[in-house]
Amino acid sequence: MDATPRAGMELPVPVEAEARAGIGRHLGLSGRLFLVTIAFVALVEILIYVPTVANYRRMWLSDRIAAAQIAALVLEASPDQHVSEDLARHLLKGVGASAIAVRGDGTRRLLAVDTIPSEVAGLVDLRSHDWIASIGGAWRTVFSESSGPIRVIGHGRDGFDLVEILLDEAPLREALIDFADRLLLSSLAIAAAVAGLVFLMLQRIIVRPVRRLARNITEFADDPQGSDRIITPSRRTDEIGHAEVALARMETALAGELRQKRRLAELGLSVSKINHELRNLLTTAQLLGDRLESVADPAVERIAPRLLATLGRAIRFCEETLAYGRASEAVPQRRKVELGPILAEQSDLSRLDGASRVTIRVACDEDIEVEVDPDQFSRALTNIVRNAVQAIGSDKARLLDPVVEIEATRHGRPGAGGVTILIADNGPGLPERARANLFSPFEGSMRAGGTGLGLPIAAELIQLQGGSLTLDPTGEGEGARFRIVIPDRAPSSL
């Protein structure tokens, strides 16, 4: 085996990887794919090129061992196993060695003309097949210019146990470099052809479809409502084909949603304008109706209150519709406030027309604080309490002692708990058909003249505070009970 094996032929790889990392940041998908293709093809070529060069060196030395075996047979066939000096030089020149030694039948024969040196530059044992040693030997042969001969040992045959030769490494180096150059040129040509074909195939199979997807997404983002912007899926059945189908489905649904929302927005704007003008007309009619109350006519005195009440409901309907039709609520300015004063303000709602018989009871500890926007939270509470007061304070409710109870309690430790507010009345409760659409705009009202916007607006305002508004289940005739939960905000950590 080689006396000085060395590992090599891998030094350019880190340099190539570093260059690829620096350039790749400024390239697109096509450029990155091109570099990756070149890198993998180069890696495959290195894995094939280096062992092939090492194998050529081994075969070249094996040919010299075979030639030395033939020379040994000539030596053995000669009388007294001795040849002339001219024949010996001719045999050694044919082998390309300075000395040949064979061993068989317990004897050792030597064919040499010149003096055999005491030291050699290297040892190659062809009896063992070690790829690492072969690659290291090829590297040493090409890049290490030794002055002395090398010793090569191989298996013998035809009665010989082994064959040894001493030869100059220069002819081997020349033959190996010539073979490596020719192999490098052919490998580069093959690698370029393979890399080009692989790149073109990947460009066609992956890069172009991905570019098509990206271009379609960009065009759709510019005009999402245009039907011509929706991608037309190809007939591919792989992952890109599935992505095209999913993208087409998503764009179709999104375009439909946007067109519907645009129509609804235009309709909502028109309704807001109509409501605004209608509210002004109804307000004028209400002012005229107020003057009718001073007319001393029994018929007018009987009709005027009903007329004013109807105009009042119409005006409130317009105002609530306009309030709900606003684009969005303002961002809440949440801060810690005392809950008691906010709840105490709701007692004034008992003075509503037709609801003077309603009693509003508030139960709240003085130290309870809640982190909300006071204005928005008060509006939400007003909508809920006013609905309850109007429901149980009307003559249709037929309650002798209508009561609305507001109770606030704190649960959990500060920073990890919250505040629960229960708003309950002793009315007949809500029918099942009202519960289904209770928080749906224009659908949850059970009162004549109601808009069905109070609870949806209240739910939205409470949600902006980070809380929730729900209706607790109650038995028949046990009234309605709404539950508001406002969780504490966790303290921010640096």
Side-chain angles (χ1 to χ4, degrees), residues 84-95:
S84 64
E85 184 175 347
D86 292 336
L87 180 58
R89 290 183 182 276
H90 184 71
L91 292 174
L92 292 174
K93 183 178 179 181
V95 176

Side-chain angles (χ1 to χ4, degrees), residues 272-284 314-315 317-318:
S272 297
K273 292 179 179 179
I274 294 172
N275 267 317
H276 184 271
E277 297 300 327
L278 183 60
R279 182 188 60 179
N280 294 337
L281 295 174
L282 291 175
T283 302
T284 303
I315 292 173
F317 178 84
C318 292

Side-chain angles (χ1 to χ4, degrees), residues 36-51:
V36 170
T37 303
I38 292 178
F40 276 102
V41 171
L43 179 61
V44 172
E45 285 297 324
I46 291 175
L47 295 177
I48 297 176
Y49 179 81
V50 175

Side-chain angles (χ1 to χ4, degrees), residues 280-300:
N280 294 337
L281 295 174
L282 291 175
T283 302
T284 303
Q286 189 180 36
L287 293 176
L288 295 176
D290 290 340
R291 296 184 179 181
L292 293 177
E293 291 183 337
S294 61
V295 176
D297 187 333
V300 173

Side-chain angles (χ1 to χ4, degrees), residues 357-430:
R357 299 183 303 111
V358 179
T359 302
I360 298 179
R361 300 173 183 170
V362 177
C364 177
D365 295 337
E366 295 181 357
D367 59 345
I368 294 182
E369 292 183 339
V370 63
E371 196 167 0
V372 295
D373 184 316
D375 295 335
Q376 291 184 350
F377 190 64
S378 179
R379 284 173 53 201
L381 289 175
T382 299
N383 284 340
I384 300 172
V385 176
R386 183 175 58 187
N387 279 358
V389 169
Q390 291 176 342
I392 66 175
S394 63
D395 295 335
K396 293 182 179 180
R398 299 179 181 178
L399 296 177
L400 297 178
D401 186 19
V403 177
V404 176
E405 296 183 349
I406 305 175
E407 180 183 2
T409 57
R410 167 164 287 281
H411 57 273
R413 57 184 179 85
V419 175
T420 299
I421 303 171
L422 295 178
I423 302 175
D425 61 62
N426 62 346
L430 295 172

Side-chain angles (χ1 to χ4, degrees), residues 86-300:
D86 292 336
L87 180 58
R89 290 183 182 276
H90 184 71
L91 292 174
L92 292 174
K93 183 178 179 181
V95 176
S98 60
I100 300 174
V102 295
R103 186 177 65 189
D105 299 330
T107 61
R108 179 182 178 88
R109 299 174 182 84
L110 178 64
L111 178 61
V113 176
D114 299 325
T115 303
I116 299 176
S118 58
E119 295 182 357
V120 294
L123 172 64
V124 181
D125 191 347
L126 299 178
R127 294 174 297 177
S128 60
H129 188 69
D130 188 348
W131 278 109
I132 297 179
S134 298
I135 294 173
W139 175 271
R140 185 187 61 81
T141 299
V142 173
F143 295 100
S144 177
E145 296 183 1
S146 59
S147 57
I150 61 172
R151 179 186 176 191
V152 183
I153 304 175
H155 287 290
R157 61 181 181 178
D158 298 330
F160 299 115
D161 295 333
L162 61 84
V163 179
E164 300 181 39
I165 58 175
L166 288 178
L167 53 82
D168 186 9
E169 200 173 13
L172 173 59
R173 182 180 300 108
E174 294 177 2
L176 192 60
I177 292 175
D178 179 68
F179 174 78
D181 291 341
R182 289 185 285 108
L183 179 62
L184 179 61
L185 292 176
S186 60
S187 298
L188 289 177
I190 296 174
V194 172
L197 291 175
V198 171
F199 175 74
L200 291 177
M201 291 300 297
L202 292 177
Q203 186 84 1
R204 180 180 179 85
I205 296 174
I206 298 178
V207 176
R208 289 183 181 177
V210 171
R211 283 179 177 173
R212 178 171 177 259
L213 289 173
R215 183 170 57 253
N216 176 263
I217 293 173
T218 302
E219 294 175 352
F220 183 81
D222 294 336
D223 183 16
Q225 298 184 27
S227 58
D228 59 332
R229 303 292 186 177
I230 298 176
I231 191 172
T232 301
S234 62
R235 297 181 179 180
R236 299 181 58 150
T237 57
D238 55 5
E239 287 78 3
I240 292 181
H242 297 330
E244 291 175 344
V245 173
L247 180 60
R249 188 183 301 115
M250 182 195 69
E251 289 178 345
T252 301
L254 183 58
E257 287 287 336
L258 290 176
R259 286 193 293 269
Q260 182 181 8
K261 289 185 179 297
R262 178 175 56 83
R263 290 194 296 267
L264 291 176
E266 294 173 352
L267 178 61
L269 180 60
S270 301
V271 171
S272 297
K273 292 179 179 179
I274 294 172
N275 267 317
H276 184 271
E277 297 300 327
L278 183 60
R279 182 188 60 179
N280 294 337
L281 295 174
L282 291 175
T283 302
T284 303
Q286 189 180 36
L287 293 176
L288 295 176
D290 290 340
R291 296 184 179 181
L292 293 177
E293 291 183 337
S294 61
V295 176
D297 187 333
V300 173

